[in-house]
Structures are given as structure tokens and as C-alpha cells.
């Protein structure tokens, strides 16, 4: 976070202690066990089963977690299942939060940022956040408490320089010049942070952004994860300085797990099974090259989960 953001937070948070600020709720652990998801599709005028995810398991703890893989590998499907946004028809397996089945009101503890930005371009950043606060914060919040929450989110996401600028919109008959792409995406993140979620899901948050802006967005998310949030991102092919910000990687290929574990051990694992990344290659690019060049993920031995989880194949996965 920039120095100016720390100054803003120090004015808003108790004891003037912005750097020690943590997410209002305790960190959450999301674990998923033997997920199998399929849909019915028409093929030659007959309905056939198409498998989207096949026996996928893993665990995401507090920090910045990435689901990566080529197009069509099942990234968004896995993200949606973890966020309880998929129709359970065709879904087998278990998703646990802190070792328990998700509460029916999971939306109250989770935020979800869509790939397409959902903001009102004719309003300013502050007005968008205030509108979200009025809709999503509990009814017992006073006007002052909502305003305080908006100001905290603005400071958290380093949006104070553009807080009173219209977000902007492009259209055939209505064009409004507004904030940058990175500020727009951070505004979308802020609208989800308004409810103080312990888990934040983001679907391809860097899509449509240039390399520098994409890095700035992920850096903001990395800072949030250091305060206790569990952040889970689906991402296609990040550049190296974005890749190294992640704590945990889950690599998918054709709906199957190729690797699940610490991001720092990903290269070592691929080397151990005979795939060595060249010194100056981007690891994220290399992993996709390996996955796409294999006829199936079966030659890539799935990473053992036992080192990073507690009974990942069982029901109790409270870490």
C-alpha cells in the first residue's frame, strides 16, 4: 500500500495503527474434495455427458491463491463451485469452509468479482461504493457508519485520488470519460469488500488490462491477503512479477489437477517429473506450454496434497 493510503487508514482505524490492520473476520480455509462436475450437451442430436471437472481436490488458506490453466480447463467452473454459484445438478464432491459445510447465507461472508465490471459509469467511485453500502450493509448501520466504511475501503484500495471522479462509460449515444482500467477494477473489488468478506473470489481480474495495470491490481490484492483475507483468483497466463505474488497455485488441464501446492515449489515439482523451465522463461508461460503439449494430463503426476493439508481426502479439513 502506498504511503498516502497508510495515512488515510491511520485516520480511520482505531489506535492510528494502519499497518497492523487485519480483516474484520478471522481468516477462512476453503477446502474441496473429489469434485466432479458434468453437464449434458447435444452431440449428433443425442444428449451426452461432458465432464468439466474430474476428481479435483485442494485447499486454499489465507493469502493469495490462483487457479490457472488454459482456456476451457475449468478455472471459472471451479471458482463458481467454491463460491456456491453453480447449480448442484451434475455436481459431486464436497466443499468445506473451516471444516464445515458452507452456510446457506454464504454470500454474507464471501465476495465475488465478475470478469466483466459491474459499476455505474455515470457515478463517481465514491458514489458507487456508497450505493453498494446502502444496499448491502445491515439495516442497523447508521449513515455515519456507512460513510466510514466507504472511506476505509477507499483507503484500503488506494482510491482516494480518483474517489470523486466518475467511473466512466463508453457507448454509442452515451460516452463519459472516467477512471483508468485499474481504478475501475479496484472499484469493483471495493464493492465486494464493503460487506467485510473473509473470502474474496475474482474471475480473471486482469482481463483487458495492460501489463502494468494488471500488476498494480494484483499487488493491491496481495496487500489485502496479508491482512487476513483468503483471496482466490482464476487467471490465465500472468507475467512473472504477478506469478511470484501468489502463495498457492492450482493448475488445471482438461478439468483435472496437474499441480496443487505452494507457488514457490511449482518449478521444483515440474523439474522432478522431467519438465525443466529455461532460466529466463516465465514459469506461468512454461506451465501452460507443458500442459498444452501433453495429449492428456495423465503424464503429469498430480501433486500430493498431504504436505499442505490435513486429511484432504476426508471430511475434516480444519487447518
Amino acid at each position: 500500500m502506498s504511503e498516502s493510503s497508510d495515512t488515510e487508514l491511520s485516520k480511520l482505524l482505531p489506535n492510528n495503527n494502519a499497518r497492523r490492520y487485519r480483516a474484520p473476520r478471522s481468516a477462512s480455509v476453503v477446502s474441496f474434495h473429489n469434485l466432479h462436475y458434468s453437464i449434458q450437451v447435444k452431440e449428433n442430436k443425442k444428449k451426452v455427458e461432458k465432464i468439466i471437472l474430474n476428481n479435483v481436490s485442494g485447499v486454499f488458506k489465507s493469502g493469495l491463491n490462483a487457479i490457472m490453466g488454459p482456456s476451457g480447463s475449468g478455472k471459472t467452473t471451479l471458482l463458481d463451485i467454491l463460491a456456491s454459484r453453480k447449480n448442484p445438478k451434475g455436481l459431486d464432491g464436497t466443499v468445506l469452509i473451516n471444516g464445515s459445510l458452507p452456510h446457506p447465507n454464504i454470500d454474507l461472508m464471501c465476495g465475488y468479482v465478475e470478469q466483466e465490471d459491474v459499476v455505474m459509469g455515470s457515478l463517481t467511485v465514491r458514489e458507487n461504493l456508497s450505493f453498494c453500502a446502502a444496499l448491502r450493509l445491515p439495516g442497523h448501520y447508521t449513515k455515519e457508519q456507512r460513510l466510514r466504511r466507504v472511506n476505509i475501503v477507499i483507503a484500503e484500495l488506494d482510491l482516494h485520488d480518483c474517489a470523486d471522479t466518475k467511473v466512466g462509460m463508453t457507448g454509442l449515444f452515451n460516452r463519459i470519460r472516467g477512471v483508468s482500467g485499474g481504478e475501475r477494477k479496484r472499484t469493483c473489488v471495493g464493492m465486494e469488500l464493503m460487506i467485510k468478506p473473509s473470502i474474496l473470489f475474482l474471475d480473471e481480474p486482469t482481463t483487458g488490462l495492460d501489463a502494468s495495470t494488471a500488476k498494480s491490481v494484483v499487488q493491491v490484492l496481495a496487500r489485502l491477503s496479508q491482512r487476513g483475507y483468503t483471496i482466490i483468483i482464476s487467471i490465465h497466463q500472468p507475467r512473472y512479477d504477478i506469478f511470484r505474488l501468489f502463495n498457492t497455485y492450482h493448475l488445471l488441464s482438461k478439468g483435472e489437477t496437474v499441480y496443487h501446492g505452494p507457488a514457490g515449489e511449482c518449478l521444483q515439482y515440474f523439474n522432478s517429473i522431467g519438465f525443466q523451465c529455461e532460466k529466463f522463461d516465465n514459469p506461468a508461460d512454461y506451465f501452460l506450454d507443458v500442459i498444452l503439449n501433453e495429449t492428456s494430463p495423465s503424464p503429469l503426476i498430480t501433486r500430493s496434497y498431504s504436505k499442505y493439508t490435513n486429511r484432504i481426502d476426508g471430511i475434516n479439513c480444519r487447518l
Side-chain angles (χ1 to χ4, degrees), residues 1 7 20 29 40-41 60 158 179 219 227 268 280 301:
M1 177 169 288
T7 303
R20 295 181 59 187
V29 176
Q40 296 290 323
V41 296
F60 291 130
D158 201 9
V179 299
Q219 282 177 328
R227 300 188 197 124
Q268 179 183 349
F280 297 108
I301 305 169

Side-chain angles (χ1 to χ4, degrees), residues 176-248:
I176 301 175
R177 192 177 184 87
V179 299
S180 68
E183 291 167 338
R184 185 185 183 94
K185 181 61 70 175
R186 279 183 279 150
T187 301
C188 294
V189 173
M191 293 172 73
E192 295 303 315
L193 289 183
M194 197 59 61
I195 60 171
K196 307 177 185 177
S198 58
I199 306 170
L200 183 62
F201 299 95
L202 299 100
D203 184 20
E204 301 275 4
T206 59
T207 298
L209 303 178
D210 62 75
S212 180
T213 303
K215 178 184 175 182
S216 68
V217 169
V218 179
Q219 282 177 328
V220 168
L221 296 173
R223 289 196 293 265
L224 287 174
S225 71
Q226 293 169 2
R227 300 188 197 124
Y229 291 95
T230 300
I231 299 179
I232 304 173
I233 297 175
S234 68
I235 193 165
H236 181 69
Q237 201 166 359
R239 54 189 275 190
Y240 176 68
D241 50 4
I242 292 177
F243 168 84
R244 65 182 183 180
L245 293 174
F246 293 106
N247 304 114
T248 302

Side-chain angles (χ1 to χ4, degrees), residues 68-69 75 204 206 235-240 242 249 282 284-286 288-289 292:
M68 196 181 90
K75 301 187 297 297
E204 301 275 4
T206 59
I235 193 165
H236 181 69
Q237 201 166 359
R239 54 189 275 190
Y240 176 68
I242 292 177
Y249 252 112
N282 176 12
D285 294 337
Y286 177 73
L288 287 192
D289 288 343
L292 291 171

Side-chain angles (χ1 to χ4, degrees), residues 39-313:
I39 59 174
Q40 296 290 323
V41 296
K42 281 190 175 182
E43 190 173 295
N44 296 327
K45 298 183 179 181
K46 293 182 180 180
K47 284 189 176 181
V48 297
E49 182 185 41
K50 180 179 180 181
I51 297 174
I52 308 300
L53 294 177
N54 184 25
N55 195 33
V56 173
S57 299
V59 60
F60 291 130
K61 297 185 281 187
S62 172
L64 193 59
N65 307 277
I67 301 170
M68 196 181 90
S71 298
S73 60
K75 301 187 297 297
T76 299
T77 298
L78 176 57
L79 195 74
D80 287 345
I81 290 173
L82 298 182
S84 297
R85 293 167 64 94
K86 275 291 183 189
N87 189 324
K89 183 179 180 181
L91 174 63
D92 290 317
T94 307
V95 177
L96 303 177
I97 296 179
N98 294 330
S100 302
L101 293 174
H103 191 274
N105 294 328
I106 187 176
D107 289 345
L108 298 178
M109 68 176 297
C110 298
Y112 192 105
V113 181
E114 301 274 1
Q115 182 174 344
E116 297 295 330
D117 297 335
V118 184
V119 286
M120 287 177 280
S122 58
L123 301 182
T124 67
V125 170
R126 190 186 305 277
E127 287 169 342
N128 270 285
L129 296 176
S130 298
F131 181 69
C132 182
L135 286 178
R136 302 187 67 183
L137 289 178
H140 62 78
Y141 270 56
T142 65
K143 182 178 179 180
E144 290 73 21
Q145 287 174 320
R146 289 192 178 94
L147 177 61
R148 179 181 176 82
R149 182 63 194 152
V150 169
N151 288 335
I152 287 176
V153 169
I154 287 173
E156 277 189 306
L157 298 177
D158 201 9
L159 288 169
H160 47 272
D161 288 340
C162 64
D164 298 307
T165 302
K166 288 186 177 182
V167 171
M169 58 195 302
T170 58
L172 185 61
F173 302 107
N174 203 350
R175 186 181 297 270
I176 301 175
R177 192 177 184 87
V179 299
S180 68
E183 291 167 338
R184 185 185 183 94
K185 181 61 70 175
R186 279 183 279 150
T187 301
C188 294
V189 173
M191 293 172 73
E192 295 303 315
L193 289 183
M194 197 59 61
I195 60 171
K196 307 177 185 177
S198 58
I199 306 170
L200 183 62
F201 299 95
L202 299 100
D203 184 20
E204 301 275 4
T206 59
T207 298
L209 303 178
D210 62 75
S212 180
T213 303
K215 178 184 175 182
S216 68
V217 169
V218 179
Q219 282 177 328
V220 168
L221 296 173
R223 289 196 293 265
L224 287 174
S225 71
Q226 293 169 2
R227 300 188 197 124
Y229 291 95
T230 300
I231 299 179
I232 304 173
I233 297 175
S234 68
I235 193 165
H236 181 69
Q237 201 166 359
R239 54 189 275 190
Y240 176 68
D241 50 4
I242 292 177
F243 168 84
R244 65 182 183 180
L245 293 174
F246 293 106
N247 304 114
T248 302
Y249 252 112
H250 190 106
L251 301 185
L252 287 171
S253 175
K254 299 179 182 178
E256 297 189 20
T257 299
V258 174
Y259 173 90
H260 178 84
E265 296 184 16
C266 210
L267 279 173
Q268 179 183 349
Y269 167 68
F270 273 78
N271 287 342
S272 71
I273 58 173
F275 298 97
Q276 185 169 3
C277 180
E278 295 295 331
K279 183 176 181 180
F280 297 108
D281 274 359
N282 176 12
D285 294 337
Y286 177 73
F287 297 150
L288 287 192
D289 288 343
V290 170
I291 290 170
L292 291 171
N293 288 334
E294 294 295 328
T295 57
S296 73
S298 55
L300 303 179
I301 305 169
T302 301
R303 179 69 166 178
S304 171
Y305 302 98
S306 59
K307 183 177 179 181
Y308 313 108
T309 67
N310 179 21
R311 293 180 59 200
I312 189 65
D313 55 345

